[in-house]
Amino acid sequence: STPVGHSVLQLLQDGTIEGVLDRLAAEAKTPPDDLTLATALLLRSQVQLSSGDAGKANALAAEARDLARDSSDQYLQYWATMSLGV
């Protein structure tokens, strides 16, 4: 396990990452910031995937892809597409 991987696992185990993602998503809604919301959704997708819920992970990635589709952020578009496995 890498130090980063260990840190992510620790955040997942103690529930800290869920609070961070909730706050990030809330902040992205006022004023509307689709790219930040898409990022939060992609991170949450990875959390769901690591906990074994591929269906929910895929739905979150699809929502993020839709939000990022019209942006100029090609990295975010690529990340969302790869998260869907397309």
Side-chain angles (χ1 to χ4, degrees):
S1 175
T2 66
V4 172
H6 180 72
S7 297
V8 169
L9 286 175
Q10 185 62 44
L11 289 171
L12 287 170
Q13 289 171 347
D14 67 14
T16 304
I17 200 163
E18 290 294 332
V20 170
L21 295 176
D22 288 344
R23 189 173 71 237
L24 185 61
E27 289 174 3
K29 291 183 181 179
T30 308
D33 181 352
D34 287 348
L35 295 182
T36 299
L37 184 54
T39 301
L41 289 168
L42 286 169
L43 291 169
R44 193 175 300 278
S45 171
Q46 294 302 307
V47 170
Q48 292 299 319
L49 189 59
S50 70
S51 67
D53 192 344
K56 183 151 186 162
N58 195 45
L60 291 165
E63 186 177 352
R65 182 198 55 200
D66 292 344
L67 287 170
R69 180 174 285 137
D70 295 327
S71 77
S72 61
D73 191 328
Q74 293 178 345
Y75 176 76
L76 193 61
Q77 293 171 357
Y78 178 79
W79 181 16
T81 300
M82 293 306 293
S83 293
L84 283 166
V86 176

